[in-house]
Amino acid sequence: MFFARARCYSSSMATDREPWGKNVLVELEDGIAWVTMNRPAKRNAMNPALIAEMKQTVEALATDERCGVFVLTGAGESFTAGMDLEEYFRQTDGAPDTFLLNLRRMNEEWQWRRLRDYPKPTIAMVNGWCFGGGFTPLVACDLAVAAEEAVFGLSEINWGILPAGNVTKAASEALGYRDALYLVMTGEPFDGRVAAQKGLVNLAVPRAQLRERTRALAKVLLSKNQTVLRGAKIAMKRCRTMDWDTSADYLYAKVSEAFHLGAHQNRNQALEAFLDEKRFRPGLESFPRTEPGSGER
Ligand code: COA
């Protein structure tokens, strides 16, 4: 832990120059950007206005020094109720070109093109309802923490549509084959505990502990070398679709890249501390060894 590049984060409130403030709220706190979808009266359903603001927010925070970890959540009792059924569907009836353009804007601009490859670590903090189109930003985030009480559903089948907007792709990436098919075909809702069991989120905690647990996870990520962290998460996403030879070459290249970007200093420090100074044992940090009777580690 002590090898991470030292970095000072400050907390601050938004200023007038920032793109968020209406449908998207951002709280900057000690390196964590809490990014909130903010249409609670509409259960944070994603409409074109929210998406436009979110796209600019995602872009702005990518290079904002105050954001070390990006946390995506929702205002009130919802994460997001998915796509806005009124603005995306009913209002584009009879206008298929507008419908498709809107869909593209929605998904490609901020979710799986930008957020999925974000230069900073991302966490979805699922506080409540998460339906349909909400699965794409959920899976686009690197990690996810849910409230046990949150309710998820691939509910498109109930609306006479199939899960487009890359929801099906997101579900197939984050869920096992049988679970993904079952949920797409039945639209059956499930809670945060089940989402954790299925691996759709990393963990679920009671809602009262959600923010604290997410903050603790964000702090772990902030303590790592950010260059290596970025390389590691992007590599994980890329290697999934590569064959073994290509993946091996790619990973060597990414290691070299990280070295050129300064990560070798961390590596050298860690090796010295472990091999020469014998004062660093990362494997023992979480699980201290106790010798019976001696109390020694
Ligand atoms: N698109 C547009 N509006 C939505 C919406 C959506 N996806 N989800 C909720 N809303 C709106 C409702 O129309 C309602 O608007 P109104 O107050 O102007 O009438 C408002 O949000 C509150 O919704 P309501 O259903 O009264 O809230 P609830 O707390 O009783 O239930 C949900 C919350 C999320 C369970 C319920 O709104 C729901 O099932 N939404 C649809 C979820 C879904 O299937 N999304 C996938 C779309 S593919």
Side-chain angles (χ1 to χ4, degrees):
M1 301 282 254
F2 53 92
F3 307 112
R5 191 173 50 188
R7 194 167 204 172
C8 238
Y9 292 105
S10 59
S11 303
S12 81
M13 299 302 289
T15 70
D16 288 348
R17 282 170 291 125
E18 285 148 356
W20 54 82
K22 198 173 171 212
N23 297 292
V24 177
L25 303 180
V26 177
E27 196 186 331
L28 295 154
E29 178 208 294
D30 296 332
I32 305 171
W34 303 92
V35 180
T36 303
M37 294 176 271
N38 187 42
R39 295 183 75 216
K42 296 286 182 185
R43 305 300 180 259
N44 304 323
M46 294 178 284
N47 68 344
L50 184 148
I51 278 142
E53 204 170 316
M54 184 61 86
K55 183 187 154 222
Q56 290 186 323
T57 300
V58 167
E59 263 175 27
L61 290 175
T63 53
D64 192 320
E65 283 286 312
R66 295 167 299 175
C67 169
V69 174
F70 182 112
V71 177
L72 181 67
T73 191
E77 62 192 60
S78 297
F79 180 67
T80 171
M83 294 176 62
D84 190 301
L85 293 160
E86 170 71 29
E87 294 190 46
Y88 270 104
F89 288 92
R90 186 180 275 170
Q91 288 180 14
T92 58
D93 273 353
D97 289 347
T98 310
F99 172 70
L100 276 179
L101 187 66
N102 281 348
L103 266 184
R104 288 243 155 83
R105 268 199 201 121
M106 170 170 173
N107 298 298
E108 295 182 12
E109 293 293 320
W110 77 277
Q111 296 178 350
W112 57 272
R113 281 206 193 279
R114 287 171 208 250
L115 209 49
R116 193 167 178 280
D117 281 352
Y118 210 52
K120 299 172 178 180
T122 54
I123 304 173
M125 183 173 84
V126 186
N127 51 311
W129 309 111
C130 177
F131 285 107
F135 274 59
T136 309
L138 165 67
V139 175
C141 287
D142 304 321
L143 304 174
V145 184
E148 289 174 351
E149 301 89 337
V151 175
F152 298 75
L154 286 166
S155 60
E156 283 86 344
I157 196 82
N158 302 314
W159 299 99
I161 51 180
L162 60 85
N166 256 349
V167 171
T168 297
K169 176 72 179 161
S172 73
E173 187 158 285
L175 291 162
Y177 179 66
R178 290 286 175 213
D179 276 335
L181 271 177
Y182 182 89
L183 295 169
V184 163
M185 293 170 73
T186 64
E188 192 173 287
F190 53 99
D191 67 17
R193 274 195 204 91
V194 175
Q197 284 160 11
K198 292 184 186 306
L200 180 61
V201 300
N202 296 97
L203 62 147
V205 294
R207 187 177 275 131
Q209 295 165 22
L210 182 63
R211 190 159 162 126
E212 241 351 276
R213 187 63 190 87
T214 306
R215 181 183 283 114
L217 177 58
K219 285 190 171 169
V220 170
L221 299 175
L222 285 170
S223 76
K224 307 294 181 194
N225 179 296
Q226 297 303 304
T227 302
V228 180
L229 191 62
R230 184 162 50 246
K233 73 169 213 172
I234 298 290
M236 175 59 77
K237 296 175 191 205
R238 296 283 181 271
C239 288
R240 286 167 72 88
T241 54
M242 289 180 189
D243 63 43
W244 282 70
D245 288 327
T246 314
S247 171
D249 279 347
Y250 171 86
L251 290 171
Y252 286 130
K254 290 305 269 187
V255 169
S256 303
E257 180 191 80
F259 262 45
H260 284 300
L261 292 172
H264 65 285
Q265 285 166 6
N266 275 186
R267 196 198 74 146
N268 293 346
Q269 283 175 340
L271 289 179
E272 272 170 31
F274 180 71
L275 294 174
D276 307 328
E277 299 159 14
K278 311 281 186 200
R279 64 185 170 88
F280 177 52
R281 281 187 177 76
L284 281 181
E285 273 181 8
S286 302
F287 300 98
R289 184 169 54 211
T290 48
E291 306 294 344
S294 73
E296 283 179 14
R297 293 175 64 161

